[in-house]
Amino acid sequence: MRQEVRSLDPLDSPGLLRARSSGAGLGTALSATLKRDLLMVTRRPGDALTPLMFFAMVITLFPLGISPDADQLALIAPGILWVAALLAALLSLDGLFRTDHDDGTLEQLMLTPHPLPLLVIAKVAVHWLVTGVPLALLAPLLGLMLSLPEGSYLVLSASVALGSACISLIGAIGAALTVGLARGGMLLALIVLPLFMPVLIFGSGAIVAVIEGGAWLAHLAILGAFLCVALMLAPWAIAASLRVSLHD
Amino acid sequence: MSLSLEARQLACERDGRWLFRGLDLTLNAGDVMRIEGPNGSGKTTLLKVLCGQIVDVEGEVLWQGEPLRRVRSELLANLLYLGHGAGVKAHLSALENLRWYQAISGDQVSSRDCELALARVGLVGFEEVPAIQLSAGQQRRIALARLHLTPRLLWVLDEPFIAIDAEGVAALEQLLAEHARRGGAVLVTTHHALERIEGLRSLRLAGEVAAA
Amino acid sequence: MWAFFHKLGSPRWFYAIASRFEPWCWALALILIVVGSVWGLVFAPADYQQGNSFRIIYVHVPAAFLGQSIYIAMAVCGFVYMVWKIRVADMAAAMMAPLGAVMTFMALLSGSVWGKPTWGTWWQWDARLTSMLILLFLYIGVMVLRATFYRLESAARAAAILTMVGVVNIPIIKYSVEWWNTLHQPASFTITERPAMPVEMWLPLLIMVVGFYAFFAAFTLTRVRSEILRREQSKRWVQDMFREKC
């Protein structure tokens, strides 16, 4: 039995080691990283649920703090839904690279011959899938509780889905810059919040527009444009930031 | 193609202190080189410089005769680096960890190869157990299984013996010697004597003077 | 050209050149700011609508200009540092940041002081003021990030990346905020928009703006020089220089 095992072992082939060329297998690497991170989420579902719970609880604070009056709540609902979703996404950003950094797999990821800006897209995509998309799905329910006018729920979901993708990308720059710092969470909020403001303006603007019968599609289009720009530029900044953080 | 890693007049300054200066080093196929030096003498930094992770240093690193900044991805395609962190995801099993490594380094993903590699580091029966339930030594062994799994010319091992028992140390030393015989090269930092390795080369880092 | 560029990049050369320009910059700044303030605050005619309260533009406008320009200058320095590894560029970026933040704060403060008699409130979510506030946050982020890193090199590169990310975002923020503002409230007249200012009004303003820029140059040169000495204190040329002076 042991003999058979040994003969199958690739390392026991008698030939010398050969130099390999780089470049092959980027797709495999991307999908493997994507799958690995999703698998991690299924192993620890609590991590993905925390931002959602946070979102729901922050929304609960507003009727308590302002008034249960439906008309008043409906007026401010687009804004507070968006602010709360933004903060929930922000809350989860700190962990984006931190566990990978602490256990050394981030270093290993950076030591593959593949371009780092592309590899980080896989990680950011997972973050969006497990944070942004659930937030977008939960938002209509909370909108209902804030008596958001009917007919705006789809736009609410779409704007949160699009906007949270921007937030994941831009926020990942901050997460990458602060990953090597012991208490990076607060700093992360400080450096990325100003960058989120345009997303907030057009995200909640889309909902207000659909309620008032305005050009909501234009708002979503602008969010889409933000996403395109972020998708083009952010991966480079994330990769450069990770290089800085890993060598401090 | 045989292997050559060369450093010329490397100098690295950290916080106003020279870790090393005027460092020359040549590593060819069949070499096992141990980097020695007290704590904080820049062993890890040197390893990271040599495999292109740290670039803000003076001097030049050549891989196969070409400057590293131009052929970095070629070096990385032939490199296996085990750092301070084991590089093992705690919530994934040993098998899942290894499969991810196979995928990101562009090898064929094969559970059978992973199982064989795990068997060789003595982790039979632990393949499906989440790494968090394993001991520190066992987690380290998952990382070491990559040495069996992925054929790479250059091994750069930063303190690979941490948390490994005596038996494991002996096996690992043999593995390093075997790797050198097959035309590979090893750069290693460790406080172990590495007595089982013939023709072991040493590089001592001690403040400013360094001699290979 | 390139040789000059690289020469300038060496701290020692920059120190020498900066020492030569520095007094001139200070002198220019002093003269322009004194002339501009006296002219603007005393001799320029009062505004027919706002009376004397408009005179605050002689501080507000130059401060706002500098606040924005300095961030862009920091981004340029960050770019130069990341691409050519010129350390002086990073020192300049580091030294400019507090001045930029102070200028932005001054613009906000003067805007709100002007707002009290004009709008009847200390703070209005006016498009320009809001953008300036966000700009102040960007400055604070960069400065805090830089201070958090232990290694000089890492701090420099992290700050450079964040500044460049910020500078890409500034126009987006500016236009988003402007757009948001027009949507939510009809534009009241703002501090700088007025039909055809007479020469006696805008000439002192121009002098003040140039004076502020001269002050920025002088301030940066002085601070970069001392930063060069601080960071290069172990280098031979610095020690030689001090030995000569003693």
Side-chain angles (χ1 to χ4, degrees):
Chain A
M1 189 62 206
R2 190 161 175 80
Q3 287 301 318
E4 191 191 88
V5 165
R6 289 207 144 240
S7 66
L8 277 169
D9 192 326
L11 265 189
D12 276 341
S13 53
L16 287 177
L17 289 162
R18 295 269 162 75
R20 297 151 34 96
S21 63
S22 64
L26 175 63
T28 326
L30 280 174
S31 72
T33 306
L34 206 73
K35 269 189 227 152
R36 183 200 68 162
D37 281 16
L38 286 173
L39 189 62
M40 295 283 297
V41 175
T42 63
R43 295 279 156 85
R44 300 198 61 188
D47 288 357
L49 284 175
T50 316
L52 291 179
M53 295 297 105
F54 177 83
F55 186 29
M57 286 178 197
V58 170
I59 291 299
T60 314
L61 297 180
F62 283 92
L64 296 176
I66 298 170
S67 135
D69 176 37
D71 290 341
Q72 272 193 47
L73 286 176
L75 198 65
I76 54 167
I80 58 178
L81 280 167
W82 244 96
V83 170
L86 188 148
L87 292 177
L90 179 70
L91 186 76
S92 64
L93 273 170
D94 187 45
L96 180 54
F97 296 112
R98 195 166 289 281
T99 50
D100 281 12
H101 175 266
D102 293 347
D103 62 24
T105 49
L106 186 60
E107 187 178 33
Q108 294 291 341
L109 192 69
M110 291 169 71
L111 278 168
T112 61
H114 309 300
L116 187 58
L118 290 177
L119 291 175
V120 296
I121 290 182
K123 289 204 63 73
V124 174
V126 172
H127 180 262
W128 177 68
L129 282 175
V130 303
T131 316
V133 173
L135 286 176
L137 295 177
L138 182 62
L141 180 67
L142 299 173
L144 190 77
M145 291 162 71
L146 293 177
S147 32
L148 194 70
E150 268 174 52
S152 59
Y153 292 89
L154 262 177
V155 176
L156 168 65
S157 268
S159 77
V160 173
L162 268 175
S164 61
C166 300
I167 288 174
S168 292
L169 275 164
I170 299 168
I173 303 173
L177 281 171
T178 54
V179 70
L181 307 170
R183 293 171 54 78
M186 207 62 209
L187 179 62
L188 168 65
L190 202 67
I191 63 179
V192 296
L193 270 179
L195 305 176
F196 290 165
M197 290 178 190
V199 179
L200 173 69
I201 289 174
F202 286 98
S204 66
I207 308 167
V208 174
V210 73
I211 293 171
E212 293 174 355
W216 54 272
L217 197 59
H219 289 76
L220 293 185
I222 289 173
L223 280 181
F226 285 166
L227 180 59
C228 292
V229 174
L231 208 51
M232 260 191 324
L233 299 180
W236 304 98
I238 300 168
S241 309
L242 284 177
R243 295 219 167 87
V244 173
S245 283
L246 250 74
H247 299 138
D248 186 40
Chain B
M1 188 165 57
S2 126
L3 171 159
S4 116
L5 180 70
E6 208 182 327
R8 285 189 196 150
Q9 290 296 306
L10 275 190
C12 179
E13 187 190 356
R14 283 288 178 273
D15 310 316
R17 188 171 67 93
W18 289 97
L19 288 177
F20 42 84
R21 219 167 172 179
L23 186 144
D24 288 309
L25 172 154
T26 320
L27 195 72
N28 289 312
D31 283 346
V32 178
M33 183 182 282
R34 185 165 81 140
I35 317 282
E36 297 165 11
N39 293 342
S41 59
K43 301 190 290 283
T44 299
T45 307
L46 176 61
L47 291 188
K48 287 187 171 179
V49 170
L50 289 175
C51 56
Q53 289 193 68
I54 294 180
V55 289
D56 53 322
V57 289
E58 291 168 30
E60 203 170 22
V61 180
L62 304 173
W63 168 252
Q64 312 290 41
E66 306 256 0
L68 187 57
R69 70 193 123 78
R70 250 190 289 147
V71 294
R72 188 165 178 273
S73 60
E74 267 101 286
L75 167 72
L76 293 181
N78 290 291
L79 168 78
L80 190 79
Y81 177 93
L82 298 186
H84 273 294
V88 174
K89 280 256 153 250
H91 295 277
L92 298 184
S93 71
L95 210 52
E96 286 160 345
N97 269 298
L98 287 187
R99 276 206 296 256
W100 178 68
Y101 276 117
Q102 278 189 317
I104 59 162
S105 51
D107 296 307
Q108 276 296 325
V109 180
S110 138
S111 295
R112 175 140 187 85
D113 286 352
C114 294
E115 281 167 18
L116 287 172
L118 287 172
R120 297 196 115 202
V121 292
L123 287 177
V124 178
F126 294 99
E127 292 93 344
E128 307 280 358
V129 182
I132 197 166
Q133 294 173 18
L134 302 178
S135 73
Q138 284 172 316
Q139 289 192 20
R140 197 81 202 170
R141 280 164 186 263
I142 298 176
L144 292 176
R146 294 179 59 207
L147 297 174
H148 294 279
L149 190 63
T150 36
R152 292 286 183 278
L153 280 177
L154 177 64
W155 288 359
V156 176
L157 313 175
D158 196 357
E159 301 287 355
F161 296 99
I162 285 180
I164 299 288
D165 55 25
E167 202 181 318
V169 169
L172 185 52
E173 285 190 20
Q174 239 155 31
L175 188 65
L176 300 190
E178 168 72 20
H179 181 65
R181 262 200 298 284
R182 295 174 62 219
V186 182
L187 270 172
V188 59
T189 63
T190 178
H191 297 291
H192 284 266
L194 299 181
E195 283 156 351
R196 294 176 188 80
I197 297 171
E198 289 168 31
L200 175 74
R201 296 174 59 198
S202 297
L203 173 73
R204 184 156 185 84
L205 295 179
E208 291 198 5
V209 264
Chain C
M1 175 65 203
W2 278 109
F4 174 75
F5 194 56
H6 275 277
K7 230 180 195 179
L8 199 66
S10 121
R12 189 179 176 176
W13 273 94
F14 187 89
Y15 186 88
I17 293 172
S19 324
R20 218 173 315 145
F21 281 106
E22 196 190 305
W24 295 103
C25 287
W26 278 116
L28 189 68
L30 193 70
I31 293 168
L32 288 176
I33 290 176
V34 167
V35 170
S37 336
V38 173
W39 190 352
L41 298 184
V42 182
F43 295 107
D47 189 80
Y48 71 99
Q49 248 181 331
Q50 302 169 39
N52 278 324
S53 72
F54 98 97
R55 291 186 199 275
I56 207 158
I57 65 162
Y58 294 114
V59 177
H60 177 83
V61 171
F65 273 21
L66 265 196
Q68 294 172 46
S69 308
I70 291 177
Y71 198 90
I72 293 166
M74 279 163 59
V76 171
C77 286
F79 182 78
V80 168
Y81 176 74
M82 290 298 270
V83 175
W84 291 288
K85 306 261 175 284
I86 293 176
R87 278 175 300 152
V88 171
D90 171 58
M91 296 185 206
M95 297 299 104
M96 283 173 201
L99 182 68
V102 167
M103 285 298 157
T104 310
F105 183 72
M106 254 171 73
L108 284 172
L109 195 72
S110 54
S112 102
V113 168
W114 173 86
K116 184 66 186 162
T118 315
W119 292 325
T121 161
W122 290 106
W123 182 261
Q124 178 107 331
W125 289 96
D126 162 74
R128 280 158 201 260
L129 285 180
T130 311
S131 313
M132 284 311 268
L133 184 64
I134 299 176
L135 183 64
L136 182 64
F137 292 153
L138 287 175
Y139 271 115
I140 292 171
V142 172
M143 289 194 293
V144 174
L145 184 72
R146 183 186 282 278
T148 318
F149 278 85
Y150 173 65
R151 272 192 56 218
L152 216 56
E153 185 94 14
S154 306
R157 300 200 319 149
I161 293 171
L162 186 61
T163 321
M164 285 192 278
V165 170
V167 94
V168 171
N169 269 276
I170 281 180
I172 299 177
I173 292 173
K174 201 169 156 54
Y175 287 111
S176 303
V177 168
E178 252 166 48
W179 180 89
W180 155 82
N181 198 250
T182 51
L183 189 80
H184 285 271
Q185 51 200 17
S188 56
F189 69 105
T190 57
I191 192 162
T192 47
E193 269 166 15
R194 62 189 66 249
M197 221 190 268
V199 173
E200 311 86 86
M201 272 185 179
W202 66 252
L203 200 58
L205 183 61
L206 184 70
I207 291 174
M208 281 301 270
V209 169
V210 177
F212 266 58
Y213 274 96
F215 169 72
F216 163 51
F219 179 87
T220 309
L221 288 180
T222 306
R223 287 208 69 198
V224 169
R225 278 181 61 202
S226 61
E227 181 68 7
I228 287 175
L229 293 186
R230 196 177 71 81
R231 288 200 198 177
E232 307 261 299
Q233 54 189 323
S234 60
K235 297 278 161 69
R236 164 122 352 120
W237 71 270
V238 178
Q239 288 171 351
D240 285 350
M241 195 175 69
F242 275 103
R243 217 164 289 133
E244 276 168 35
K245 289 205 172 145
C246 289

